């Protein structure tokens, strides 16, 4: 059932993004007087179709992994003389540029709308306050200490943990100084420090910048007090209740929730003897974790409980409330920033500063789609926005076959005053197809290896 839901959420995401992308081409083509023959979501055999008063066929096809807009085009067959004014090839180069660019632009516009929807209700995030610093780590060499708040990285403000993580991601695979601006609690004095990077996290699959620094953020201690007990779980079968405090397991004192989780995960199918506190009394309980198979093929234990989450200190929270215009400006900034990050990541992949193992194909994207939907509608909207930006950026890369390749040809045409020769265009398309197929094959290989 979970796999079906994952596939469903993936197809919904793909359908939304493809529809917006192709609608961009369609809309501008119509405005430029081009006759659109077909608007297809998906490839292959048509499952359902209809025609509008302009004669355009709208199709939902069997293979939901893309889409296309087919326009009247002399390169694809003879066009009746009466319809030549409506052919794509008869339009000015600037009109053709507008039509081709409209697809990626539609993806960026969709991302702005989605980010705007996320920002409008207001956002609460956590401050990047250092919890622990690993000995000998980059953070330690930079002189970072527990309790410090990192207010800037490389001179760029980092008011939240998300902002800091985003700034660190820009330095993946690089060498050179990494600077920090920090302050202590209750003080406005700022201190500068730095560490030297050397091909930082280059070649690492799924790099974690915070972990790569050798630090963890502050978090309030989570005690081993149960909040929810899942119905039908091993914990419910053992008689555990909400409000129970786990004192020890097999005689080992349980100090905090992470220790408890590690202890349970390490004992799939093994009976544990617990001492719990309930309403001032100490009780003995036997609990056997259920064996669950992990993504790496290794089993782990699960008992079906969640902890009472303590409240965060008020000074650790960063709350942002936006007006309609303020949220829109923030959404545009976020779209621009994400686009820049994706483009820089592509450059680093080409230069070898980021491992090609980080390329993801449809399987990984589907898993992320399912996980984000499971986490809530705001997470799913955020996933759609990020994917929409990525689709827009990748389509603008100057690779023949992609929109960016067509734009490259048209820009050359504006300079030389005549179209690029058919022979050169065909050679470019063949090379572009080779590159795209190769990248897709590598991404799919990475997906299968992760499975």
């Amino acid at each position: 059932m979970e796999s079906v839901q994952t596939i469903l959420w993936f197809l919904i995401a793909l359908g939304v993004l493809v529809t917006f992308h192709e609608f961009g081409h369609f809309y501008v083509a119509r405005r430029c007087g081009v006759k659109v023959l077909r608007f297809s979501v998906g490839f292959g055999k048509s499952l359902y179709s209809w025609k509008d008063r302009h004669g355009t066929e709208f199709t939902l096809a069997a293979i939901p992994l893309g889409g296309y807009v087919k326009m009247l085009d002399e390169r694809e067959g003879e066009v009746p003389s009466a319809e030549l004014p409506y052919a794509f090839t008869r339009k000015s180069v600037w009109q053709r540029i507008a039509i081709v660019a409209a697809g990626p632009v539609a993806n960026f516009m969709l991302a702005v709308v989605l980010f705007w929807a996320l920002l409008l209700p207001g956002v609460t995030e956590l401050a990047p306050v250092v919890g622990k610093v690993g000995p000998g780590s980059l953070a330690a060499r930079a002189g970072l200490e527990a309790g410090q708040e990192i207010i800037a990285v490389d001179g760029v403000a980092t008011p939240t943990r998300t902002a800091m993580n985003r700034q660190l991601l820009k330095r993946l695979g690089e060498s050179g100084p990494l600077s920090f601006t920090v302050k202590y609690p209750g003080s406005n004095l700022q201190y500068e420090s730095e560490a030297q990077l050397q091909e930082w996290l280059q070649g690492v699959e799924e790099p974690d910048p915070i972990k790569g620094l050798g630090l963890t953020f502050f978090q309030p201690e989570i005690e081993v007090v149960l909040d929810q007990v899942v119905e039908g779980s091993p914990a419910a079968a053992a008689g555990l209740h909400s409000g129970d405090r786990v004192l020890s397991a097999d005689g080992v004192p349980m100090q905090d929730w992470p220790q408890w989780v590690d202890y349970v995960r390490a004992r799939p199918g093994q009976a544990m003897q617990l001492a719990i506190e309930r309403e001032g009394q100490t009780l003995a309980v036997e609990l056997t974790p259920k064996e669950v198979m992990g993504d790496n093929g290794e089993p782990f234990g699960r008992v079906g409980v969640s902890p009472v989450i303590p409240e965060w200190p008020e000074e650790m929270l960063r709350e942002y409330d936006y007006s309609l215009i303020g949220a829109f400006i923030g959404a545009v900034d976020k779209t621009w920033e994400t686009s820049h990050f994706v483009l820089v990541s592509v450059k680093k992949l080409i230069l070898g500063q980021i491992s090609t193992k980080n390329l993801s194909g449809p399987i990984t994207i589907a898993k992320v789609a399912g996980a984000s939907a499971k986490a809530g509608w705001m997470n799913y909207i955020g996933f759609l926005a990020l994917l929409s930006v990525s689709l827009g950026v990748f389509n603008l890369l100057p690779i023949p076959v992609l929109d960016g390749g067509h734009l490259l040809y048209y820009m050359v045409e504006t300079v030389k005053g005549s179209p690029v020769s058919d022979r050169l265009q065909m050679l470019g398309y063949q090379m572009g197809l080779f590159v795209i197929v190769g990248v897709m094959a590598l991404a799919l290989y990475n997906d299968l290896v992760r499975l």
Side-chain angles (χ1 to χ4, degrees):
M1 184 62 182
E2 187 171 337
S3 297
V4 173
Q5 290 179 339
T6 295
I7 294 172
L8 177 62
W9 286 116
F10 170 65
L11 293 179
I12 290 174
L14 198 61
V16 169
L17 299 185
V18 167
T19 300
F20 269 85
H21 181 92
E22 299 304 332
F23 181 78
H25 293 310
F26 167 81
Y27 180 81
V28 176
R30 280 272 182 91
R31 300 285 76 76
C32 291
V34 174
K35 183 175 181 179
V36 180
L37 304 177
R38 183 179 298 119
F39 183 124
S40 178
V41 176
F43 299 105
K45 183 179 179 181
S46 175
L47 300 178
Y48 179 73
S49 66
W50 73 96
K51 288 188 176 182
D52 67 3
R53 61 188 178 87
H54 300 285
T56 301
E57 180 188 11
F58 294 86
T59 299
L60 184 63
I63 305 174
L65 297 178
Y68 63 93
V69 169
K70 184 178 181 180
M71 292 171 270
L72 193 65
D73 194 319
E74 293 174 278
R75 297 168 298 181
E76 297 182 4
E78 188 175 346
V79 177
S81 57
E83 293 194 325
L84 281 175
Y86 308 108
F88 175 80
T89 43
R90 291 299 176 103
K91 298 303 175 181
S92 72
V93 65
W94 291 109
Q95 286 178 312
R96 283 178 276 141
I97 286 173
I99 292 168
V100 171
V105 169
N107 284 125
F108 294 130
M109 292 175 66
L110 173 61
V112 169
V113 171
L114 294 174
F115 282 134
W116 176 81
L118 291 175
L119 293 175
L120 197 56
V123 177
T124 300
E125 295 195 47
L126 297 169
V129 175
V130 178
K132 296 179 182 178
V133 176
S137 64
L138 276 172
R141 294 200 292 273
L144 299 182
E145 301 174 2
Q148 289 179 331
E149 180 180 346
I150 301 172
I151 60 176
V153 174
D154 288 335
V156 177
T158 54
T160 67
R161 297 182 182 186
T162 301
M164 178 178 168
N165 194 63
R166 189 165 53 238
Q167 185 62 19
L168 289 173
L169 283 169
K170 296 178 182 178
R171 299 300 307 273
L172 290 178
E174 295 184 8
S175 301
L178 174 67
S179 65
F180 300 93
T181 305
V182 302
K183 70 175 185 177
Y184 288 93
S187 172
N188 290 323
L189 295 176
Q190 299 181 6
Y191 302 88
E192 303 288 336
S193 63
E194 70 175 33
Q196 289 295 322
L197 302 180
Q198 186 62 41
E199 298 179 345
W200 187 48
L201 300 179
Q202 184 171 317
V204 175
E205 185 176 358
E206 299 182 9
D208 182 338
I210 304 301
K211 187 177 180 180
L213 283 181
L215 63 80
T216 57
F217 287 129
F218 166 84
Q219 66 175 29
E221 183 176 315
I222 303 176
E223 299 179 326
V224 195
V225 179
L226 308 186
D227 180 22
Q228 294 184 344
V229 177
V230 177
E231 187 176 346
S233 66
L240 293 177
H241 298 165
S242 175
D244 287 348
R245 179 187 294 273
V246 180
L247 302 175
S248 66
D250 299 325
V252 179
M254 292 291 111
Q255 305 292 342
D256 55 32
W257 191 260
Q259 180 195 8
W260 161 253
V261 170
D262 291 341
Y263 197 88
V264 170
R265 288 179 64 88
R267 289 162 178 78
Q270 300 178 28
M272 304 187 306
Q273 304 301 320
L274 306 184
I276 67 168
E277 180 182 310
R278 180 185 299 164
E279 297 179 354
Q281 295 185 330
T282 301
L283 305 174
V285 173
E286 182 176 291
L287 174 64
T288 303
K290 177 183 178 182
E291 184 175 305
V292 178
M293 194 61 64
D295 291 338
N296 59 359
E298 295 291 329
F300 64 91
R302 178 185 291 167
V303 295
V305 294
S306 63
V308 173
I309 303 297
E311 291 188 4
W312 285 86
E314 199 168 309
E315 64 272 13
M316 296 286 295
L317 302 178
R318 300 290 180 267
E319 296 184 357
Y320 301 92
D321 292 316
Y322 297 92
S323 63
L324 282 170
I325 296 176
F328 178 77
I329 294 172
V332 172
D333 288 343
K334 195 167 181 63
T335 301
W336 173 260
E337 191 175 69
T338 305
S339 302
H340 179 262
F341 172 72
V342 173
L343 199 57
V344 169
S345 298
V346 171
K347 183 197 78 170
K348 290 188 175 184
L349 277 169
I350 295 172
L351 297 177
Q353 293 178 308
I354 296 178
S355 172
T356 54
K357 293 180 180 179
N358 291 294
L359 276 174
S360 297
I363 298 175
T364 299
I365 295 173
K367 290 175 69 176
V368 175
S372 60
K374 191 175 181 180
W377 69 270
M378 291 189 71
N379 288 279
Y380 189 68
I381 288 177
F383 163 76
L384 282 179
L386 292 173
L387 202 58
S388 191
V389 171
S390 299
L391 184 61
V393 171
F394 282 122
N395 266 283
L396 285 176
L397 294 178
I399 301 174
V401 178
L402 299 179
D403 292 331
H406 293 287
L407 291 174
L408 178 62
Y409 287 145
Y410 298 148
M411 294 307 295
V412 171
E413 183 178 340
T414 63
V415 174
K416 67 191 289 282
S418 61
V420 176
S421 69
D422 292 341
R423 180 176 172 275
L424 190 58
Q425 287 193 47
M426 184 55 63
L427 179 63
Y429 290 142
Q430 290 172 346
M431 293 175 62
L433 186 61
F434 176 78
V435 171
I436 295 300
V437 170
V439 170
M440 291 176 64
L442 178 58
L444 184 58
Y445 172 78
N446 288 341
D447 281 356
L448 296 175
V449 169
R450 293 187 187 106
L451 286 178

